[in-house]
Amino acid sequence: MKSLTDLTFDNRFARLGDAFSTEVLPEPIAEPRLVVASPAAMALLDLDPEVAEQPVFAELFAGHKLWSEAEPRAMVYSGHQFGVYNPRLGDGRGLLLGEVVNAAGEHWDLHLKGAGPTPYSRMGDGRAVLRSSIREFLASEAQHALGIPTTRALCVTGSSTPVYREKRETAAMLLRLARSHVRFGHFEYFYYTRQLDQLKQLGEHVLNEHFRHCLEQEAPYAAFYREVVERTAELIARWQAYGFCHGVMNTDNMSILGVTFDYGPYAFLDDFDANFICNHSDDTGRYSFSNQVPIAHWNLAALAQALTPMVEIDSLRASLDLFLPLYQTHYLDLMRRRLGFVSADDGDASLVERLLQLMQSSPVDYSRFFRELGDSAPEQALGRLRDDFVDLAGFDAWAADYRTRLEREGGSQDERRARMHAVNPRYVLRNYLAQQAIEAAEQGDYGVVRELHRVLSRPFDEQPGMERYAERPPEWGKHLEISCSS
Ligand code: AMP
Ligand code: MG
């Protein structure tokens, strides 16, 4: 275990120089206090969870202190926002503090979000509010616990510094960890500004530090792009299988590592709705739940365009064409497991599709459905779940086909429950739960967010005493409008 002060830094991205990022010091927030920390994320830096209680911890992650080897920099990037190219984005309110090397030799980016103005802040104040910092913290750690690749969150620090959004709020900082903060938009920036040497330099950095195995391929950049397609297909399959709606799939919010990146007005579905739009500002539903699949494909095409100086167009096209079939394979595989199937059958895709159609027209809680399906023997479970469906004849027909399909799997009910519970969470980060934790934290009570984080870090386990976090959301909780302001 390491003490807070002896982290080892190796700032590879900073060494790329001023064409890639600008040196900026964090601007501290007043009266810093620890809101919540993640012991699992701390372990990635070899930190003992107890160091979170030391005053220096909150000071470091609120911009009051800095390691001497840290080299805080704001990264430049651009990207397509809601389908429109924005030539200059960049870290407007976050800084890459540096890269820490852990005992296993892994590099982890320390990114402090809400660290004050930078040359990329445009009209913004460079701040993040407590509300959005808690939301990103909870989602990062919950997503990880579900087995969905994601950036991680080390901690949130709160403060008394005022910040003005729709109303007066307080500033907070989130310490985000990722193996890399390079986004699709980084490549787009150098491509559209015709800085082709820098584009190549960025590509070399990414290959050397993150896709080293691609260097052994005949065409390393082509292999890199193909792998981004593969990783993104797997990521989106997990989002769709678990009902995660990102809300702002702009290309500057897409990680080249295929991890969930930049949590904004996201939501996990309560009642299943393929057309669900979680972002209050998304009037046309560009980023609706079911659109996430074609949008990921669109975003990958935007990345391909930026790689045309390095990769043959035919090769980019061939890799892009892999997206949909790869997505479908991963998605179906996960949905089979969610339904308790071990083997694959030709009829499975249609069984999944029929179930979702029945859910679409009924008030069925998406997450609870799968958990309850595994709770008891099929006949009892289906009998109980039936009550939530409007089309009872349709459900009965589906249930009969499901039971027939299940008979082919064999095994006892105990085995079925164990394998289903291992993939179907009992605890899901519902918007209303996050909202309750935020409201308590805004009153200075951090107990709720800490407890919720603890529960969500073991989403598949029964946790006696924590049942309230697994309940159906109240009606008001299903229709929260999450604003983009953060
Ligand atoms: P986001 O919607 O958080 O992905 O941010 C989109 C862009 O706006 C990024 O370049 C951010 O750095 C920038 N941005 C968002 N909020 C602020 C803010 N309060 N101050 C400065 N820049 C911001
Ligand atoms: Mg962003």
Side-chain angles (χ1 to χ4, degrees):
M1 287 291 164
K2 290 217 165 182
S3 80
L4 253 181
T5 43
D6 64 23
L7 296 178
T8 306
F9 283 83
D10 177 23
N11 306 321
R12 304 173 301 184
F13 194 88
R15 288 199 290 274
L16 290 173
D18 292 341
F20 298 84
S21 61
T22 309
E23 206 183 321
V24 183
L25 285 175
E27 194 168 285
I29 45 179
E31 301 181 84
R33 60 210 71 162
L34 177 71
V35 175
V36 59
S38 165
M42 290 176 72
L44 300 172
L45 306 182
D46 309 314
L47 291 172
D48 189 317
E50 279 162 26
V51 307
E53 303 308 325
Q54 299 170 0
V56 64
F57 188 83
E59 285 163 11
L60 278 164
F61 300 118
H64 288 262
K65 284 205 161 71
L66 201 59
W67 298 267
S68 56
E69 309 94 291
E71 295 178 73
R73 301 184 74 98
M75 301 165 108
V76 61
Y77 51 84
S78 61
H80 282 84
Q81 298 180 307
F82 289 87
V84 179
Y85 186 66
N86 185 334
R88 199 171 154 94
L89 291 163
D91 288 335
R93 50 138 163 208
L95 297 173
L96 182 60
L97 295 181
E99 296 168 59
V100 167
V101 188
N102 68 13
E106 296 168 348
H107 283 69
W108 284 95
D109 281 4
L110 266 55
H111 179 97
L112 192 59
K113 195 164 175 180
T118 78
Y120 313 106
S121 297
R122 296 173 291 161
M123 309 297 281
D125 57 8
R127 291 303 186 198
V129 295
L130 181 61
R131 162 176 57 83
S132 69
S133 306
I134 288 177
R135 280 178 54 85
E136 174 152 359
F137 176 90
L138 287 172
S140 311
E141 295 306 282
Q143 196 95 325
H144 172 72
L146 284 176
I148 305 179
T150 176
T151 57
R152 302 294 302 274
L154 188 82
C155 63
V156 173
T157 41
S159 77
S160 59
T161 300
V163 174
Y164 299 90
R165 297 291 182 259
E166 284 92 347
K167 58 182 171 69
R168 181 191 154 117
E169 301 186 46
T170 54
M173 290 192 195
L174 171 96
L175 196 286
R176 179 162 70 195
L177 297 176
R179 301 301 299 274
S180 168
H181 275 73
V182 174
R183 308 147 188 257
F184 288 12
H186 275 90
F187 285 92
E188 293 182 281
Y189 173 74
F190 292 108
Y191 173 74
Y192 287 107
T193 52
R194 305 316 286 169
Q195 299 183 67
L196 298 188
D197 289 344
Q198 285 79 1
L199 181 68
K200 192 96 192 296
Q201 215 186 327
L202 176 70
E204 278 165 12
H205 164 82
V206 165
L207 285 179
N208 278 319
E209 314 301 359
H210 305 289
F211 291 80
R212 192 156 264 283
H213 47 282
C214 293
L215 289 169
E216 287 149 29
Q217 303 287 317
E218 206 174 297
Y221 287 113
F224 157 67
Y225 179 68
R226 186 188 160 114
E227 192 168 330
V228 179
V229 171
E230 289 167 355
R231 290 191 195 194
T232 306
E234 185 162 358
L235 175 70
I236 305 300
R238 285 174 193 257
W239 285 6
Q240 301 308 114
Y242 280 107
F244 177 77
C245 199
H246 181 284
V248 202
M249 284 177 73
N250 295 334
T251 57
D252 54 300
N253 291 338
M254 297 288 293
S255 159
I256 52 139
L257 298 180
V259 304
T260 314
F261 197 105
D262 253 7
Y263 293 86
Y266 68 81
F268 282 90
L269 297 181
D270 291 314
D271 290 355
F272 180 80
D273 177 6
N275 306 318
F276 184 68
I277 304 166
C278 64
N279 182 349
H280 183 51
S281 324
D282 183 5
D283 302 324
T284 60
R286 179 180 172 87
Y287 298 141
S288 72
F289 178 65
S290 58
N291 269 1
Q292 297 190 121
V293 182
I295 287 292
H297 185 267
W298 194 96
N299 289 345
L300 285 162
L303 175 63
Q305 181 67 42
L307 294 177
T308 48
M310 279 114 91
V311 188
E312 297 283 338
I313 287 183
D314 286 347
S315 156
L316 291 166
R317 283 210 180 104
S319 293
L320 186 58
D321 285 347
L322 295 173
F323 174 77
L324 207 54
L326 279 173
Y327 161 78
Q328 277 158 343
T329 304
H330 287 303
Y331 176 73
L332 193 55
D333 180 55
L334 259 170
M335 293 306 282
R336 277 192 184 107
R337 285 159 54 201
R338 296 206 74 178
L339 287 169
F341 307 153
V342 182
S343 62
D345 185 289
D346 285 345
D348 292 344
S350 131
L351 208 58
V352 170
E353 187 52 35
R354 280 167 61 204
L355 174 63
L356 296 185
Q357 263 163 29
L358 288 161
M359 284 184 172
Q360 179 69 32
S361 44
S362 304
V364 178
D365 187 88
Y366 184 64
S367 300
R368 285 178 59 104
F369 177 87
F370 293 98
R371 185 73 181 194
E372 285 179 35
L373 189 60
D375 264 338
S376 37
E379 193 179 339
Q380 282 90 53
L382 291 163
R384 229 171 283 146
L385 289 164
R386 182 179 191 267
D387 291 342
D388 286 336
F389 287 84
V390 172
D391 176 3
L392 291 178
F395 181 75
D396 290 342
W398 182 86
D401 291 345
Y402 174 70
R403 289 185 60 187
T404 308
R405 170 71 181 83
L406 210 52
E407 274 159 25
R408 244 169 292 160
E409 299 293 340
S412 68
Q413 166 54 22
D414 283 349
E415 286 162 351
R416 176 175 166 271
R417 183 192 298 112
R419 70 172 184 261
M420 287 183 74
H421 282 10
V423 290
N424 295 327
R426 173 109 158 99
Y427 302 99
V428 179
L429 177 57
R430 299 176 185 276
N431 265 341
Y432 92 97
L433 292 174
Q435 191 55 32
Q436 289 175 339
I438 288 164
E439 282 168 19
E442 286 177 338
Q443 300 305 313
D445 170 9
Y446 305 140
V448 186
V449 61
R450 291 179 186 189
E451 183 172 86
L452 180 56
H453 162 239
R454 257 195 317 275
V455 169
L456 294 171
S457 63
R458 294 193 293 123
F460 302 107
D461 298 348
E462 292 294 338
Q463 300 178 45
M466 296 297 134
E467 292 78 10
R468 85 169 190 85
Y469 293 110
E471 278 167 17
R472 258 172 198 262
E475 276 311 306
W476 65 263
K478 291 183 189 176
H479 310 288
L480 293 176
E481 290 193 336
I482 304 299
S483 101
C484 226
S485 79
S486 55

